[in-house]
Amino acid sequence: MPFPQERPRRMRRNEALRSLVRETTLAPDDLVWPLFVVPGAKVRNPVRSMPGVFQLSVDELVAEAQQGLEAGVRSVILFGVPEHKDDVGSGAYDDDGIIPRAVRALKAKVPGLVVMTDVCMCEYTDHGHCGVLKPPRVGGPGQDLQVDNDLTLPLLAREAVAHARAGADVVAPSDMMDGRVAAIRRALDENGFGEVPILSYAAKFAGAFYGPFRDAAESAPQFGDRRGYQMDPANGDEALREIALDIAEGADIVMVKPALAYLDLIHRAKSRFGFPVAAYNVSGEYAMVKAAAARGWIDERLVVDELLTSIRRAGADMILTYFAMDVARRLAGH
Ligand SMILES: [Zn+2]
């Protein structure tokens, strides 16, 4: 029925009417708050390229997560910066490493909080790559250095088990090795953690939006880049294949990362698989908003609400975002 009978503006006349037909909602329940944990006590190091984000020692992390929970943020995901790094990332699977210590403290002191842990090697390796390197070929060229997929899998599995043993509610592999979801699922099951779900970074793209994160997690690769394992930003069909593989291997939630430049894939993933989908509103997306807002060029609150709503509208069930605390406080009317 065309105009003049059909008038979509009728339902836009005031906020009460608009809210009746609003299709997408944003609630603190939908948000997962990424937090960075460092050794020491009373440490709160501001991250230069991410205003409002800090590296926190375990005591400060507990206080921060407690405040988040009070504001309605029920889930956090932890990234660890260890005491020392080496070529096999041994800090990643140490039962007394930075993440297991942080998880134990959160589970003891912030009951009700969902604690997710990032499972990867890049924060723990001295070369900053997401796995162990292939032994150099004798006489081969230097640029041949590559991450060895199959040698990395057992280390990721050990890391996930160490996190689960400390009490992690969800483990989240972000390395993009082939077969890691199956390796982690098997190791969790064999060690009595059959109830711990896997949130897989299923379609993670190599790109320029992670720069600020690497300041926060101190995980920049010391040579080369991550294009040998993370995805080419040009490939959508391949992203769906990656997601299908991870679901087949036992993932419980699949993630698209970054979010804003990949809304099409969030949508395709949700419509194709009907599976829980997470999206990571990454550090570069956060930094762009913060930088423009600091100059008074945009209204931060309105832009953040619009961006996060767009990620939900595309099909994400949950959003990992550094804005989680701000948004939750605002939605709660604080
Ligand atoms: Zn990594």
Side-chain angles (χ1 to χ4, degrees), residues 25-33 67-76 113 305 308 312 317-321 323-334:
T25 57
L26 187 63
D29 286 0
D30 309 322
L31 307 178
V32 180
W33 195 16
Q67 285 178 28
L69 187 61
E70 280 160 18
V73 181
R74 297 209 284 210
S75 302
V76 298
L113 184 73
D305 283 354
L308 297 184
R312 291 265 301 137
D317 298 284
M318 68 200 79
I319 306 171
L320 285 72
T321 178
F323 292 113
M325 177 70 137
D326 288 356
V327 171
R329 281 196 167 135
R330 186 160 2 116
L331 292 173
H334 293 306

Side-chain angles (χ1 to χ4, degrees), residues 118-123 128-131 174-176 204 213 219 226 229-230:
D118 182 77
V119 173
C120 198
M121 304 298 289
C122 52
E123 296 111 296
H129 279 285
C130 300
S174 63
D175 51 283
M176 289 300 281
K204 180 179 180 181
F213 174 92
S219 62
R226 302 202 208 279
Y229 38 103
Q230 295 177 0

Side-chain angles (χ1 to χ4, degrees), residues 10 21 34 48 54 71 74 236 246 260 305-306 310 312 322:
R10 288 186 193 116
V21 293
R48 186 185 53 86
F54 299 84
R74 297 209 284 210
D246 282 8
L260 293 173
D305 283 354
E306 191 171 340
S310 78
R312 291 265 301 137
Y322 304 99

Side-chain angles (χ1 to χ4, degrees), residues 152-321:
T152 300
L153 297 181
L155 303 184
L156 293 166
R158 277 176 71 185
E159 182 180 6
V161 169
H163 294 179
R165 196 179 287 127
D169 297 296
V170 179
V171 293
S174 63
D175 51 283
M176 289 300 281
M177 297 302 120
D178 295 330
R180 94 279 207 205
V181 172
I184 290 171
R185 183 71 271 157
R186 196 177 320 116
L188 287 172
D189 293 351
E190 285 170 6
N191 285 276
F193 301 110
E195 289 177 4
V196 173
I198 298 174
L199 187 176
S200 114
Y201 289 62
K204 180 179 180 181
F205 290 87
F209 282 100
Y210 306 138
F213 174 92
R214 290 174 190 167
D215 285 344
E218 300 177 14
S219 62
Q222 298 304 302
F223 64 89
D225 55 40
R226 302 202 208 279
R227 286 181 291 179
Y229 38 103
Q230 295 177 0
M231 286 192 57
D232 182 337
N235 293 0
D237 291 342
E238 187 191 350
L240 296 191
R241 286 212 306 283
E242 282 278 11
I243 292 167
L245 285 169
D246 282 8
I247 291 173
E249 289 180 28
D252 300 278
I253 307 167
V254 288
M255 194 199 295
V256 175
K257 178 184 181 181
L260 293 173
Y262 300 86
L263 292 176
D264 57 325
L265 294 177
I266 296 170
H267 185 254
R268 288 174 74 184
K270 190 64 185 176
S271 18
R272 170 84 68 95
F273 301 108
F275 216 71
V277 171
Y280 202 139
N281 175 220
V282 299
S283 60
E285 298 168 352
Y286 177 84
M288 290 193 299
V289 171
K290 285 288 186 185
R295 284 161 181 74
W297 293 348
I298 57 170
D299 181 318
E300 179 176 327
R301 290 174 153 210
L302 296 178
V303 165
V304 168
D305 283 354
E306 191 171 340
L307 291 178
L308 297 184
T309 299
S310 78
I311 297 169
R312 291 265 301 137
R313 194 192 60 237
D317 298 284
M318 68 200 79
I319 306 171
L320 285 72
T321 178

